[in-house]
Amino acid sequence: MFEVLVFVYENYWRGDACPELEQLERKLAAHGFDPDEITEALTWLDGLNFAAQSACASIQSTALAELPASNVSMRVYSVAEQEHLGARCLGFISFLATAGVLPAAMREIVLDRAMAAPGDPVSLDDLKIIVLMVYWSFGHEPDALVLDELCESPEGRLAH
């Protein structure tokens, strides 16, 4: 599934530039992806689209109501989230959130889509793809340092 998601991310610069799921399915099949992987990825993308649209509607209605935002809230992870994501993924999500590059609404979508992903626990590399896809669904590109953290393997880095 994640190979399909990477292909979609690399070939469609934003979520709204991506074709409808039926047309995308034909294009993915033409590129030789396994039908089961295509189905799994399209189901996952459909959930991402729904979550992103719901978040946008929620943000707009909250902005209209002018509710104050709390900067001191804390996210508590359920046992299922802890087991499915593991310490490395939860630590990475916390890192992105405390760095100010993963707002709460996007964090919740990352968690939702990670919980819908295969793997027990989800690998950190797969989580990074999920984070990229959430940015993609909102039409945002992460800044260069975040993109570097999401795309580059830490094993090849030299400490300064």
Side-chain angles (χ1 to χ4, degrees), residues 3-51:
E3 290 177 10
V4 175
L5 295 177
V6 169
F7 177 86
V8 170
Y9 180 83
E10 290 176 344
N11 287 281
Y12 301 101
W13 61 283
R14 291 172 39 151
D16 58 1
C18 188
E20 294 294 323
L21 294 180
E22 291 175 6
Q23 184 181 1
L24 180 60
E25 181 178 15
R26 289 190 298 272
K27 288 184 178 202
L28 294 169
H31 277 88
F33 288 104
D34 180 75
D36 291 335
E37 285 186 20
I38 292 171
T39 301
E40 189 175 16
L42 292 179
T43 301
W44 190 91
L45 280 172
D46 191 41
L48 176 61
N49 291 337
F50 178 76

Side-chain angles (χ1 to χ4, degrees), residues 90-147:
L90 291 175
F92 188 72
I93 291 170
S94 177
F95 162 72
L96 294 175
T98 56
V101 297
L102 190 63
M106 289 177 75
R107 180 195 62 217
E108 292 306 311
I109 294 173
V110 166
L111 290 168
D112 174 68
R113 296 292 76 212
M115 291 301 289
D120 222 6
V122 172
S123 75
L124 184 57
D125 288 338
D126 291 347
L127 178 73
K128 290 179 178 183
I129 293 169
I130 292 168
V131 172
L132 281 173
M133 293 305 293
V134 170
Y135 272 102
W136 174 84
S137 71
F138 279 92
H140 298 295
E141 184 173 322
D143 70 29
L145 293 174
V146 174
L147 197 57

Side-chain angles (χ1 to χ4, degrees), residues 60-117:
Q60 289 173 353
S61 66
T62 302
L64 292 175
E66 297 180 11
L67 296 173
S70 173
N71 293 330
V72 294
S73 64
M74 181 174 79
R75 174 63 156 87
V76 177
Y77 298 100
S78 71
V79 172
E81 289 170 333
Q82 292 175 35
E83 290 174 354
H84 188 68
L85 297 173
R88 291 184 69 201
C89 289
L90 291 175
F92 188 72
I93 291 170
S94 177
F95 162 72
L96 294 175
T98 56
V101 297
L102 190 63
M106 289 177 75
R107 180 195 62 217
E108 292 306 311
I109 294 173
V110 166
L111 290 168
D112 174 68
R113 296 292 76 212
M115 291 301 289

